[in-house]
Amino acid sequence: MRMIQIMDIKNLNAVPAFTTKDGSEIRELLAHRNSVIRNQSLAEARLPIGGATQEHYHPKCEEIYHITHGSGKIRIEGETREVRAGDAIAILPGQKHKLWNTGEETLRLLCCCAPGYEHSDTIITEA
């Protein structure tokens, strides 16, 4: 008989970092790779001062970015806006997007992806 895990808690300081296809440093908190979650993922991304992701899109995944520390700018389908701690950003499947850290500290954000993040669902659109 298979036991179902009732509670699954991960601490940000206990999960390993990895680099995504777009160049972000990610700490995946909950995803199919490390938890009971199957249809989405939650990760923290970090961009150093002056850093940026490569412009990209996801054919299947919709994303929510929630900025928790720092400030920067984001471009989605040619429109660029300033972002700061407290902002939440909706990114639909197929929308090209790029994020820059223009602030004075590491830009940190929570990334929610549905379905969960996969390298294979990331298409880079710049060299």
Side-chain angles (χ1 to χ4, degrees), residues 1-119:
M1 183 167 165
R2 184 174 170 232
M3 295 292 292
I4 296 176
Q5 185 172 344
I6 296 172
M7 195 177 299
D8 193 359
I9 299 172
K10 303 287 188 243
N11 185 281
L12 181 63
N13 298 317
V15 293
F18 70 94
T19 302
T20 60
K21 195 171 177 180
D22 72 8
S24 302
E25 178 186 288
I26 295 286
R27 284 171 178 76
E28 202 163 52
L29 287 157
L30 295 169
H32 70 87
R33 285 174 280 276
N34 69 350
S35 76
V36 297
I37 293 295
R38 293 291 166 255
N39 300 310
Q40 60 186 321
S41 64
L42 175 63
E44 185 202 56
R46 297 181 185 184
L47 278 177
I49 297 168
T53 63
Q54 288 184 288
E55 184 184 78
H56 64 284
Y57 69 93
H58 308 282
K60 297 177 188 170
C61 174
E62 69 179 17
E63 292 184 285
I64 299 170
Y65 287 178
H66 179 251
I67 309 295
T68 59
H69 298 79
S71 60
K73 64 181 180 176
I74 189 162
R75 183 175 64 222
I76 301 174
E77 287 298 321
E79 181 181 352
T80 303
R81 303 260 308 261
E82 300 291 323
V83 293
R84 62 189 166 115
D87 288 343
I89 303 139
I91 305 168
L92 296 175
Q95 287 186 319
K96 292 185 281 188
H97 53 285
K98 180 180 178 96
L99 182 64
W100 292 266
N101 180 350
T102 59
E104 302 295 321
E105 66 179 296
T106 299
L107 181 63
R108 294 172 59 178
L109 58 143
L110 293 175
C111 302
C112 302
C113 297
Y117 175 81
E118 294 293 342
H119 285 321

